[in-house]
Amino acid sequence: MPASTPDRGRTELIIGAQWGDEGKGKIVDLLGEKADLVARYQGGHNAGHTVKFGDETFILHLVPTGILRPDTTCVIGNGVVVDPSALLKETAELEARGIDIGGRIKISRYAHLIMPWHTLLESCLENSEGCAKIGTTGRGIGPAYADKIYRRGLRMEDLLDPRRMEKKAASLAGEHNRVLTRAFGAQGAMLEDILPVLYRFRERFAGCIVDTAGLLNSAIAAGKRVLIEGAQGALLDVDFGTYPFVTSSNTTIGGVSTGLGLSLRKVDTVIGIIKAYTTRVGNGPFPTELTGATGELLREAGYEYGATTGRPRRCGWFDGVAARYSMMLNDVDTLALTKLDVLDGLDEIRICTAYTVRGEQVNDWVDVCAFWDEAEPVYETMPGWKRPIGEVRRFTDLPAETQAYVKRLQEVAGVEFSWVSVGPKRSETIVM
Ligand code: IMP
């Protein structure tokens, strides 16, 4: 890992290397111990980061995981889309569980709001004939980002002036409601329901709406440690993922710069999070998917149900081709391997190391994606270890078969593991 320089804070980026749900929450929480600030740069409350300590389980959607450490400042960057009701609800729930939030959340002036018309529009589009059904989380993420790019979104800074907020909300509601009612025959969003939420949000968070780019850059210049928390995963990136079955933001490293106003030169270390097998939720290509009993076993052992929607996740073997693509896109320095213990019960485990397409071997993910319905995974099969590993804390104490599997994953991905997670708790981690 690159060394930090004494006059600069160490800035670490945590990024999901698959289709999300790699277990980023636990690793962000672990590394967050030393961070002064934890920042989110993209996505919204479509994310669900699960953190366990002691008997407590927290699922964070929009609030950066740093909120669970009392002295950490949490930044919601301009690249995030914020549903005001969702943030009010999530923070109220955290406070009810004894988490002191106060003014620790800082929200970018330029972050866009997800409004009820976005959620309504998404539901119409997902259910309309002729549109690819993405299998979204239904949180209004895509339409909110679409409005941002279309230059007609409501931004946090609009809330600072109530007259401007009301005027803009009324005009946007009118515009969207015309589409909802006339094009889709659906119900529009009611302004009289929306304004009270915006006023409540203003009351609670107006003091937290700041220039987060300036805040982060000054913090780094002052030697503070910043942890940047990715949501979703590289293969859901709107440009580089399995388009159109992706989320609507740049989940990969480039999103950090545009989503926080932070030069990539300020990121010292890129930490990828990768699961010992693969999952995805929603529609789209997944060539190593297991649709039978083994997939079911992984789902139950790994509790592979969406942390946000509760949907069962599709499960499959580790995809080394996808992993290498992710390593390249994000220039990953080191990896955390998660959920290794989920494989405890398997007789044998497979790793996809390449594909064949029309009889030819294919090693690059972009070529697999171009023909994903014809791509056949090339597997290596390794023996399982058939015993629980959750208590193990040293790599060399793992069964020989487990060690061999981890080493092979490392070779296939081409990046070394710094942590291996053998259970959901902070303590259930092997530091390599
Ligand atoms: P959206 O982000 O709600 O628009 O959903 C687009 C795609 O991204 C769908 O396949 C979702 O299931 C997937 N997705 C969004 N957020 C997450 C996440 O946090 N974990 C895993 N998949 C996600």
Side-chain angles (χ1 to χ4, degrees), residues 30-104:
L30 262 180
L31 300 183
E33 192 180 3
K34 296 197 189 114
D36 299 298
L37 296 97
V38 176
R40 273 274 306 267
Y41 61 94
Q42 47 71 229
H45 65 313
N46 48 351
H49 292 163
T50 306
V51 181
K52 279 191 187 209
F53 53 92
D55 296 329
E56 298 247 55
T57 301
F58 290 89
I59 300 181
L60 296 151
H61 298 284
L62 195 48
V63 178
T65 308
I67 206 72
L68 303 177
R69 308 262 182 194
D71 299 322
T72 311
T73 299
C74 293
V75 175
I76 297 181
N78 57 283
V80 177
V81 281
V82 179
D83 179 323
S85 306
L87 190 58
L88 283 167
K89 181 165 176 277
E90 189 170 333
T91 47
E93 283 170 6
L94 286 168
E95 280 170 334
R97 291 182 66 185
I99 305 292
D100 178 22
I101 294 180
R104 286 202 292 135

Side-chain angles (χ1 to χ4, degrees), residues 309-327:
T309 58
R311 291 181 292 174
R313 295 182 187 139
R314 300 157 66 193
C315 299
W317 298 122
F318 185 90
D319 190 328
V321 183
R324 285 196 296 274
Y325 178 62
S326 217
M327 299 305 107

